[in-house]
Amino acid sequence: MDEARKLVQAGQLEEAARLLELAREASPGDATLLFRLAGLNFDLHRLDAAREYAQAAISISPATWLYHYLLGLVEREAKHLSDALASLETAASLQSTEGPVFNALGEVLLEQGQPQAASSAFEKAVNLAPDDATFRQNLTQAKRSQK
């Protein structure tokens, strides 16, 4: 994993994914490793593989909010908004102190045409990370959509 981390830092994502695949073969039940593979595949826009790895990590460690958050991002990117919403709601319920989770939740709600619910999620994101300009901008946009 350390070698793969260095490769990621050097921008060599394909090679890092190859190394992590080898590590997965040796430790197929390592949720952290599966999560890292999911993240790399997401970054490489391999959404099916990212989804599979995230779901595998969740099956091993269902109470880890970060795994649900990543799955929500994958599903949103794949335009599976209902699945994205379910994953992000789970992440938010498991970890209610992460602004990015509520921001992503708000983005999905806005895409689903629910500006009022999106505003509530964005408000939580802004409260958790008041200096994040993107969160504030998203809140403003959601409030405009309500009018």
Side-chain angles (χ1 to χ4, degrees):
M1 290 235 288
D2 288 335
E3 273 185 61
R5 184 174 328 191
K6 291 175 187 174
L7 289 168
V8 168
Q9 291 170 345
Q12 298 176 358
L13 301 183
E14 291 281 352
E15 185 63 19
R18 188 186 65 74
L19 277 179
L20 288 180
E21 272 296 333
L22 292 173
R24 184 191 60 82
E25 290 174 17
S27 300
D30 185 333
T32 301
L33 180 58
L34 292 165
F35 169 73
R36 296 201 188 289
L37 271 164
L40 263 176
N41 279 284
F42 179 70
D43 290 343
L44 290 165
H45 304 287
R46 297 183 202 152
L47 300 181
D48 290 337
R51 179 183 302 108
E52 284 182 38
Y53 287 125
Q55 288 172 334
I58 289 168
S59 72
I60 294 165
S61 183
T64 303
W65 71 271
L66 200 52
Y67 301 168
H68 293 277
Y69 174 60
L70 178 57
L71 182 58
L73 297 179
V74 169
E75 297 297 10
R76 179 177 179 230
E77 187 70 21
K79 303 295 183 210
H80 301 154
L81 298 182
S82 294
D83 293 333
L85 184 63
S87 292
L88 292 168
E89 286 175 335
T90 299
S93 71
L94 291 170
Q95 183 67 21
S96 62
T97 60
E98 292 296 322
V101 172
F102 288 98
N103 186 66
L105 181 59
E107 289 173 339
V108 169
L109 288 164
L110 205 53
E111 286 181 61
Q112 287 188 320
Q114 299 182 53
Q116 190 167 2
S119 289
S120 294
F122 290 136
E123 283 176 3
K124 289 177 186 171
V126 168
N127 288 337
L128 292 167
D131 295 332
D132 193 303
T134 301
F135 298 174
R136 289 192 317 271
Q137 183 179 17
N138 286 345
L139 175 58
T140 300
Q141 179 186 355
K143 285 184 176 183
R144 281 189 196 133
S145 296
Q146 292 180 48
K147 296 177 182 181

